Amino acid sequence: QEEFTDTSFSEKGTFGVVVSKTGTKRFFHRYRVNGTKRRDKLGTYPSVSLADARQRAIKNVTQLHEGEDPVAIKSAYRDSDTF
């Protein structure tokens, strides 16, 4: 696996893509909350475009500025009842 990061996206973490040996491209946003490292999986290319992944990372930054943890929000939503 190789990891590529966007050096211009330095506010509240790192935005990037991991390319597997088979060529699969997965976008991520890496950040810290209260000293704990977090990594949010933003999606896999081409299902998620670079522009969409960047927008998801920007949304994460907005949530971080509001004192929320984007990964915790996703986990809570995933674990909640849907009926």
Side-chain angles (χ1 to χ4, degrees):
Q1 288 186 339
E2 269 194 87
E3 182 176 292
F4 301 92
T5 58
D6 181 353
T7 56
S8 68
F9 192 93
S10 61
E11 182 183 353
K12 288 286 185 183
T14 303
F15 170 69
V17 63
V18 173
V19 181
S20 71
K21 291 180 181 180
T22 61
T24 302
K25 297 163 187 75
R26 292 184 181 90
F27 298 107
F28 67 90
H29 178 226
R30 189 172 47 229
Y31 59 93
R32 287 182 182 263
V33 172
N34 300 324
T36 302
K37 292 180 183 179
R38 305 291 274 187
R39 183 182 183 113
D40 189 10
K41 300 171 190 168
L42 303 174
T44 304
Y45 181 84
S47 298
V48 175
S49 69
L50 173 60
D52 289 340
R54 181 180 296 280
Q55 285 301 314
R56 291 177 186 189
I58 290 169
K59 180 181 176 187
N60 282 358
V61 170
T62 301
Q63 291 174 326
L64 288 166
H65 281 300
E66 294 170 352
E68 299 172 342
D69 179 359
V71 170
I73 292 170
K74 280 185 179 180
S75 294
Y77 178 78
R78 212 172 304 134
D79 295 341
S80 68
D81 292 333
T82 56
F83 293 89

